[in-house]
Every structure is written in C-alpha cells, then in structure tokens.
C-alpha cells in the first residue's frame, strides 16, 4: 500500500473521529482544517494511484464532509440560476 493511501485512510479515520466530538461552531472550523489537508492529499492519492482511486477517495471525503459540500452545491446553484440584471 502506498504512502498516499495510508495518509488518506488516516485522514478518513481522523475526520470520522472529529465528527463524533461535540463542537460549539457546528464543526465548521474542523471542516475547514480537514478540507485544507484533504485537497492536497487527494491530489497526492490521484498522482500516485491514478484517477479512479482518486475519485473513490473524493467520494469518501465528500461523504464525510457532506454539509460543506451541500452548501457548495447550493451556492453554485444560486450562481447559475441568478437572473441577468440587464
């Protein structure tokens, strides 16, 4: 198993443990930290193991960080459906 996969599995375990601990800010500060570490890690996994394994870990990360992903999709939807001011 490559180093990138070991780090990615470790990231998934840490993300799940952090999700179980109560937080006053609804875990947004933890989510930002996990995103900041997870994006370069996803690139590393994709670089070492190929795009299919990268997509699998992208889906795994999105399932762990579902609320930031949901807000991102809602923001993109608002941008697309915004009426033209002209």
């Amino acid at each position: 198993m490559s180093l990138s996969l070991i780090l990615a599995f470790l990231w998934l375990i840490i993300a799940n443990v952090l999700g179980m601990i109560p937080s006053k800010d609804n875990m947004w500060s933890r989510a930002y930290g996990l995103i900041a570490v997870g994006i370069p890690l996803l690139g590393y996994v994709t670089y070492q193991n190929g795009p299919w394994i990268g997509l699998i870990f992208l889906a795994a990360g999105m399932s762990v960080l579902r609320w930031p992903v949901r807000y991102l999709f809602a923001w993109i939807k608002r941008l697309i459906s915004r009426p033209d001011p002209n």
Side-chain angles (χ1 to χ4, degrees):
M1 187 178 297
S2 66
L3 175 63
S4 64
L5 289 178
I6 293 169
L7 292 173
F9 282 123
L10 185 64
W11 183 92
L12 286 171
I13 292 169
I14 290 170
N16 281 303
V17 169
L18 288 176
M20 290 186 249
I21 300 170
S23 174
K24 290 184 180 183
D25 67 346
N26 290 330
M27 297 176 214
W28 281 101
S29 59
R30 295 177 195 167
Y32 292 140
L34 287 169
I35 291 169
V37 172
I39 290 174
L41 185 58
L42 179 65
Y44 186 42
V45 168
T46 304
Y47 176 73
Q48 266 197 337
N49 300 294
W52 291 111
I53 303 297
L55 284 173
I56 290 169
F57 274 98
L58 175 65
M62 287 173 64
S63 73
V64 171
L65 298 172
R66 56 192 169 268
W67 284 106
V69 172
R70 183 176 176 163
Y71 284 123
L72 174 68
F73 286 145
W75 177 71
I76 291 171
K77 185 178 176 182
R78 276 194 316 268
L79 284 178
I80 291 172
S81 66
R82 184 175 295 171
D84 190 22
N86 294 330

